[in-house]
Amino acid sequence: MMFWYDHDVSGWGWFAMSFGMIAFWVLIITVAVLALRTVGRASERPPGPAGAWPEQVLAERFARGEIDEEEYRKRLHALRASGGPSGR
């Protein structure tokens, strides 16, 4: 019993410990969620520059024979005129 004599934690000490523990776990969970979201987004990005990606897809469809040359040129012109899929 002598060990605890004059070393007890007051009300503010309990508050500080509780707040510190909650802040610690919120920080850990936030870092984990942000890390997982970053890893997930990196795998969804297309390789190469974003502006060339739609043209590459169109070229691949033409190479596979899914569209003919007239359709390819028409869609390529539309992509370049609109500035990409977002219409910029």
PDB file of all heavy atoms in Angstrom, residues 35-59:
ATOM      1  N   ALA A  35      -3.903   5.241 -45.828  1.00  0.00           N
ATOM      2  CA  ALA A  35      -2.947   4.377 -46.530  1.00  0.00           C
ATOM      3  C   ALA A  35      -3.670   3.386 -47.434  1.00  0.00           C
ATOM      4  O   ALA A  35      -3.272   3.181 -48.591  1.00  0.00           O
ATOM      5  CB  ALA A  35      -2.077   3.634 -45.524  1.00  0.00           C
ATOM      6  N   LEU A  36      -4.748   2.799 -46.952  1.00  0.00           N
ATOM      7  CA  LEU A  36      -5.503   1.856 -47.773  1.00  0.00           C
ATOM      8  C   LEU A  36      -6.161   2.547 -48.963  1.00  0.00           C
ATOM      9  O   LEU A  36      -6.217   1.989 -50.061  1.00  0.00           O
ATOM     10  CB  LEU A  36      -6.554   1.139 -46.924  1.00  0.00           C
ATOM     11  CG  LEU A  36      -6.004   0.143 -45.905  1.00  0.00           C
ATOM     12  CD1 LEU A  36      -7.115  -0.398 -45.026  1.00  0.00           C
ATOM     13  CD2 LEU A  36      -5.295  -0.990 -46.622  1.00  0.00           C
ATOM     14  N   ARG A  37      -6.677   3.747 -48.759  1.00  0.00           N
ATOM     15  CA  ARG A  37      -7.285   4.485 -49.870  1.00  0.00           C
ATOM     16  C   ARG A  37      -6.240   4.850 -50.915  1.00  0.00           C
ATOM     17  O   ARG A  37      -6.511   4.788 -52.108  1.00  0.00           O
ATOM     18  CB  ARG A  37      -7.974   5.738 -49.348  1.00  0.00           C
ATOM     19  CG  ARG A  37      -9.255   5.425 -48.595  1.00  0.00           C
ATOM     20  CD  ARG A  37      -9.900   6.666 -48.052  1.00  0.00           C
ATOM     21  NE  ARG A  37     -10.288   7.553 -49.129  1.00  0.00           N
ATOM     22  CZ  ARG A  37     -10.754   8.775 -48.958  1.00  0.00           C
ATOM     23  NH1 ARG A  37     -10.878   9.253 -47.744  1.00  0.00           N
ATOM     24  NH2 ARG A  37     -11.085   9.518 -49.977  1.00  0.00           N
ATOM     25  N   THR A  38      -5.053   5.226 -50.487  1.00  0.00           N
ATOM     26  CA  THR A  38      -3.986   5.573 -51.424  1.00  0.00           C
ATOM     27  C   THR A  38      -3.555   4.361 -52.229  1.00  0.00           C
ATOM     28  O   THR A  38      -3.374   4.455 -53.441  1.00  0.00           O
ATOM     29  CB  THR A  38      -2.779   6.149 -50.662  1.00  0.00           C
ATOM     30  OG1 THR A  38      -3.214   7.298 -49.926  1.00  0.00           O
ATOM     31  CG2 THR A  38      -1.681   6.551 -51.605  1.00  0.00           C
ATOM     32  N   VAL A  39      -3.414   3.224 -51.588  1.00  0.00           N
ATOM     33  CA  VAL A  39      -3.027   2.002 -52.294  1.00  0.00           C
ATOM     34  C   VAL A  39      -4.119   1.601 -53.281  1.00  0.00           C
ATOM     35  O   VAL A  39      -3.832   1.184 -54.399  1.00  0.00           O
ATOM     36  CB  VAL A  39      -2.737   0.868 -51.286  1.00  0.00           C
ATOM     37  CG1 VAL A  39      -2.607  -0.470 -51.983  1.00  0.00           C
ATOM     38  CG2 VAL A  39      -1.497   1.193 -50.497  1.00  0.00           C
ATOM     39  N   GLY A  40      -5.378   1.743 -52.887  1.00  0.00           N
ATOM     40  CA  GLY A  40      -6.495   1.395 -53.771  1.00  0.00           C
ATOM     41  C   GLY A  40      -6.571   2.294 -54.990  1.00  0.00           C
ATOM     42  O   GLY A  40      -6.860   1.843 -56.098  1.00  0.00           O
ATOM     43  N   ARG A  41      -6.329   3.558 -54.826  1.00  0.00           N
ATOM     44  CA  ARG A  41      -6.374   4.488 -55.955  1.00  0.00           C
ATOM     45  C   ARG A  41      -5.224   4.270 -56.910  1.00  0.00           C
ATOM     46  O   ARG A  41      -5.376   4.447 -58.104  1.00  0.00           O
ATOM     47  CB  ARG A  41      -6.344   5.925 -55.457  1.00  0.00           C
ATOM     48  CG  ARG A  41      -7.647   6.379 -54.901  1.00  0.00           C
ATOM     49  CD  ARG A  41      -7.614   7.857 -54.628  1.00  0.00           C
ATOM     50  NE  ARG A  41      -8.804   8.252 -53.926  1.00  0.00           N
ATOM     51  CZ  ARG A  41      -8.879   9.232 -53.073  1.00  0.00           C
ATOM     52  NH1 ARG A  41      -7.790   9.928 -52.803  1.00  0.00           N
ATOM     53  NH2 ARG A  41      -9.993   9.540 -52.483  1.00  0.00           N
ATOM     54  N   ALA A  42      -4.068   3.907 -56.408  1.00  0.00           N
ATOM     55  CA  ALA A  42      -2.913   3.706 -57.277  1.00  0.00           C
ATOM     56  C   ALA A  42      -3.150   2.557 -58.245  1.00  0.00           C
ATOM     57  O   ALA A  42      -2.693   2.599 -59.383  1.00  0.00           O
ATOM     58  CB  ALA A  42      -1.668   3.438 -56.434  1.00  0.00           C
ATOM     59  N   SER A  43      -3.883   1.529 -57.845  1.00  0.00           N
ATOM     60  CA  SER A  43      -4.137   0.401 -58.734  1.00  0.00           C
ATOM     61  C   SER A  43      -5.221   0.709 -59.754  1.00  0.00           C
ATOM     62  O   SER A  43      -5.334   0.012 -60.751  1.00  0.00           O
ATOM     63  CB  SER A  43      -4.521  -0.827 -57.907  1.00  0.00           C
ATOM     64  OG  SER A  43      -5.734  -0.593 -57.229  1.00  0.00           O
ATOM     65  N   GLU A  44      -6.045   1.731 -59.535  1.00  0.00           N
ATOM     66  CA  GLU A  44      -7.112   2.074 -60.472  1.00  0.00           C
ATOM     67  C   GLU A  44      -6.646   2.996 -61.590  1.00  0.00           C
ATOM     68  O   GLU A  44      -7.329   3.150 -62.582  1.00  0.00           O
ATOM     69  CB  GLU A  44      -8.261   2.761 -59.727  1.00  0.00           C
ATOM     70  CG  GLU A  44      -8.981   1.854 -58.749  1.00  0.00           C
ATOM     71  CD  GLU A  44     -10.002   2.609 -57.937  1.00  0.00           C
ATOM     72  OE1 GLU A  44     -10.177   3.827 -58.166  1.00  0.00           O
ATOM     73  OE2 GLU A  44     -10.618   1.991 -57.072  1.00  0.00           O
ATOM     74  N   ARG A  45      -5.504   3.619 -61.450  1.00  0.00           N
ATOM     75  CA  ARG A  45      -5.035   4.568 -62.446  1.00  0.00           C
ATOM     76  C   ARG A  45      -4.563   3.853 -63.703  1.00  0.00           C
ATOM     77  O   ARG A  45      -3.882   2.842 -63.627  1.00  0.00           O
ATOM     78  CB  ARG A  45      -3.885   5.390 -61.892  1.00  0.00           C
ATOM     79  CG  ARG A  45      -4.313   6.337 -60.822  1.00  0.00           C
ATOM     80  CD  ARG A  45      -3.189   7.288 -60.462  1.00  0.00           C
ATOM     81  NE  ARG A  45      -3.568   8.032 -59.293  1.00  0.00           N
ATOM     82  CZ  ARG A  45      -2.852   8.107 -58.196  1.00  0.00           C
ATOM     83  NH1 ARG A  45      -1.691   7.518 -58.123  1.00  0.00           N
ATOM     84  NH2 ARG A  45      -3.273   8.799 -57.176  1.00  0.00           N
ATOM     85  N   PRO A  46      -4.888   4.409 -64.868  1.00  0.00           N
ATOM     86  CA  PRO A  46      -4.376   3.812 -66.099  1.00  0.00           C
ATOM     87  C   PRO A  46      -2.900   4.138 -66.270  1.00  0.00           C
ATOM     88  O   PRO A  46      -2.435   5.187 -65.829  1.00  0.00           O
ATOM     89  CB  PRO A  46      -5.205   4.487 -67.198  1.00  0.00           C
ATOM     90  CG  PRO A  46      -5.641   5.776 -66.609  1.00  0.00           C
ATOM     91  CD  PRO A  46      -5.794   5.517 -65.124  1.00  0.00           C
ATOM     92  N   PRO A  47      -2.139   3.249 -66.892  1.00  0.00           N
ATOM     93  CA  PRO A  47      -0.718   3.544 -67.096  1.00  0.00           C
ATOM     94  C   PRO A  47      -0.537   4.627 -68.144  1.00  0.00           C
ATOM     95  O   PRO A  47      -1.335   4.761 -69.065  1.00  0.00           O
ATOM     96  CB  PRO A  47      -0.146   2.208 -67.577  1.00  0.00           C
ATOM     97  CG  PRO A  47      -1.314   1.498 -68.177  1.00  0.00           C
ATOM     98  CD  PRO A  47      -2.517   1.948 -67.402  1.00  0.00           C
ATOM     99  N   GLY A  48       0.520   5.401 -67.993  1.00  0.00           N
ATOM    100  CA  GLY A  48       0.818   6.439 -68.971  1.00  0.00           C
ATOM    101  C   GLY A  48       0.057   7.711 -68.704  1.00  0.00           C
ATOM    102  O   GLY A  48      -0.703   7.832 -67.750  1.00  0.00           O
ATOM    103  N   PRO A  49       0.245   8.707 -69.591  1.00  0.00           N
ATOM    104  CA  PRO A  49      -0.450   9.974 -69.406  1.00  0.00           C
ATOM    105  C   PRO A  49      -1.956   9.821 -69.610  1.00  0.00           C
ATOM    106  O   PRO A  49      -2.404   9.048 -70.444  1.00  0.00           O
ATOM    107  CB  PRO A  49       0.162  10.884 -70.475  1.00  0.00           C
ATOM    108  CG  PRO A  49       0.910  10.004 -71.392  1.00  0.00           C
ATOM    109  CD  PRO A  49       1.168   8.711 -70.708  1.00  0.00           C
ATOM    110  N   ALA A  50      -2.720  10.577 -68.820  1.00  0.00           N
ATOM    111  CA  ALA A  50      -4.174  10.440 -68.850  1.00  0.00           C
ATOM    112  C   ALA A  50      -4.761  10.897 -70.181  1.00  0.00           C
ATOM    113  O   ALA A  50      -5.773  10.382 -70.619  1.00  0.00           O
ATOM    114  CB  ALA A  50      -4.799  11.235 -67.704  1.00  0.00           C
ATOM    115  N   GLY A  51      -4.152  11.867 -70.848  1.00  0.00           N
ATOM    116  CA  GLY A  51      -4.683  12.365 -72.108  1.00  0.00           C
ATOM    117  C   GLY A  51      -4.540  11.371 -73.242  1.00  0.00           C
ATOM    118  O   GLY A  51      -5.349  11.345 -74.154  1.00  0.00           O
ATOM    119  N   ALA A  52      -3.526  10.510 -73.206  1.00  0.00           N
ATOM    120  CA  ALA A  52      -3.299   9.557 -74.279  1.00  0.00           C
ATOM    121  C   ALA A  52      -4.071   8.263 -74.062  1.00  0.00           C
ATOM    122  O   ALA A  52      -4.234   7.481 -74.984  1.00  0.00           O
ATOM    123  CB  ALA A  52      -1.811   9.261 -74.398  1.00  0.00           C
ATOM    124  N   TRP A  53      -4.570   8.019 -72.898  1.00  0.00           N
ATOM    125  CA  TRP A  53      -5.219   6.755 -72.591  1.00  0.00           C
ATOM    126  C   TRP A  53      -6.452   6.485 -73.455  1.00  0.00           C
ATOM    127  O   TRP A  53      -6.564   5.380 -74.002  1.00  0.00           O
ATOM    128  CB  TRP A  53      -5.534   6.699 -71.107  1.00  0.00           C
ATOM    129  CG  TRP A  53      -5.997   5.357 -70.657  1.00  0.00           C
ATOM    130  CD1 TRP A  53      -5.270   4.222 -70.650  1.00  0.00           C
ATOM    131  CD2 TRP A  53      -7.292   5.020 -70.193  1.00  0.00           C
ATOM    132  NE1 TRP A  53      -6.029   3.182 -70.183  1.00  0.00           N
ATOM    133  CE2 TRP A  53      -7.282   3.645 -69.904  1.00  0.00           C
ATOM    134  CE3 TRP A  53      -8.457   5.737 -69.997  1.00  0.00           C
ATOM    135  CZ2 TRP A  53      -8.399   2.984 -69.424  1.00  0.00           C
ATOM    136  CZ3 TRP A  53      -9.558   5.065 -69.510  1.00  0.00           C
ATOM    137  CH2 TRP A  53      -9.523   3.715 -69.227  1.00  0.00           C
ATOM    138  N   PRO A  54      -7.411   7.400 -73.628  1.00  0.00           N
ATOM    139  CA  PRO A  54      -8.567   7.109 -74.486  1.00  0.00           C
ATOM    140  C   PRO A  54      -8.160   6.832 -75.932  1.00  0.00           C
ATOM    141  O   PRO A  54      -8.751   5.971 -76.584  1.00  0.00           O
ATOM    142  CB  PRO A  54      -9.430   8.368 -74.388  1.00  0.00           C
ATOM    143  CG  PRO A  54      -9.021   9.025 -73.141  1.00  0.00           C
ATOM    144  CD  PRO A  54      -7.581   8.698 -72.961  1.00  0.00           C
ATOM    145  N   GLU A  55      -7.149   7.535 -76.405  1.00  0.00           N
ATOM    146  CA  GLU A  55      -6.687   7.289 -77.772  1.00  0.00           C
ATOM    147  C   GLU A  55      -6.054   5.905 -77.883  1.00  0.00           C
ATOM    148  O   GLU A  55      -6.206   5.242 -78.912  1.00  0.00           O
ATOM    149  CB  GLU A  55      -5.694   8.367 -78.199  1.00  0.00           C
ATOM    150  CG  GLU A  55      -6.342   9.726 -78.353  1.00  0.00           C
ATOM    151  CD  GLU A  55      -5.358  10.794 -78.757  1.00  0.00           C
ATOM    152  OE1 GLU A  55      -4.213  10.461 -79.120  1.00  0.00           O
ATOM    153  OE2 GLU A  55      -5.745  11.972 -78.724  1.00  0.00           O
ATOM    154  N   GLN A  56      -5.377   5.455 -76.847  1.00  0.00           N
ATOM    155  CA  GLN A  56      -4.791   4.113 -76.866  1.00  0.00           C
ATOM    156  C   GLN A  56      -5.874   3.044 -76.904  1.00  0.00           C
ATOM    157  O   GLN A  56      -5.758   2.055 -77.629  1.00  0.00           O
ATOM    158  CB  GLN A  56      -3.898   3.907 -75.646  1.00  0.00           C
ATOM    159  CG  GLN A  56      -2.619   4.695 -75.681  1.00  0.00           C
ATOM    160  CD  GLN A  56      -1.835   4.569 -74.380  1.00  0.00           C
ATOM    161  OE1 GLN A  56      -2.309   3.999 -73.413  1.00  0.00           O
ATOM    162  NE2 GLN A  56      -0.631   5.113 -74.377  1.00  0.00           N
ATOM    163  N   VAL A  57      -6.929   3.249 -76.134  1.00  0.00           N
ATOM    164  CA  VAL A  57      -8.035   2.296 -76.130  1.00  0.00           C
ATOM    165  C   VAL A  57      -8.681   2.241 -77.511  1.00  0.00           C
ATOM    166  O   VAL A  57      -8.983   1.160 -78.030  1.00  0.00           O
ATOM    167  CB  VAL A  57      -9.079   2.667 -75.053  1.00  0.00           C
ATOM    168  CG1 VAL A  57     -10.327   1.811 -75.179  1.00  0.00           C
ATOM    169  CG2 VAL A  57      -8.484   2.544 -73.666  1.00  0.00           C
ATOM    170  N   LEU A  58      -8.868   3.402 -78.109  1.00  0.00           N
ATOM    171  CA  LEU A  58      -9.453   3.463 -79.444  1.00  0.00           C
ATOM    172  C   LEU A  58      -8.563   2.760 -80.454  1.00  0.00           C
ATOM    173  O   LEU A  58      -9.043   1.996 -81.304  1.00  0.00           O
ATOM    174  CB  LEU A  58      -9.678   4.925 -79.838  1.00  0.00           C
ATOM    175  CG  LEU A  58     -10.455   5.182 -81.119  1.00  0.00           C
ATOM    176  CD1 LEU A  58     -11.856   4.598 -81.019  1.00  0.00           C
ATOM    177  CD2 LEU A  58     -10.520   6.670 -81.395  1.00  0.00           C
ATOM    178  N   ALA A  59      -7.251   2.975 -80.360  1.00  0.00           N
ATOM    179  CA  ALA A  59      -6.317   2.316 -81.269  1.00  0.00           C
ATOM    180  C   ALA A  59      -6.326   0.800 -81.070  1.00  0.00           C
ATOM    181  O   ALA A  59      -6.260   0.043 -82.053  1.00  0.00           O
ATOM    182  CB  ALA A  59      -4.910   2.869 -81.060  1.00  0.00           C
TER     183      ALA A  59
END
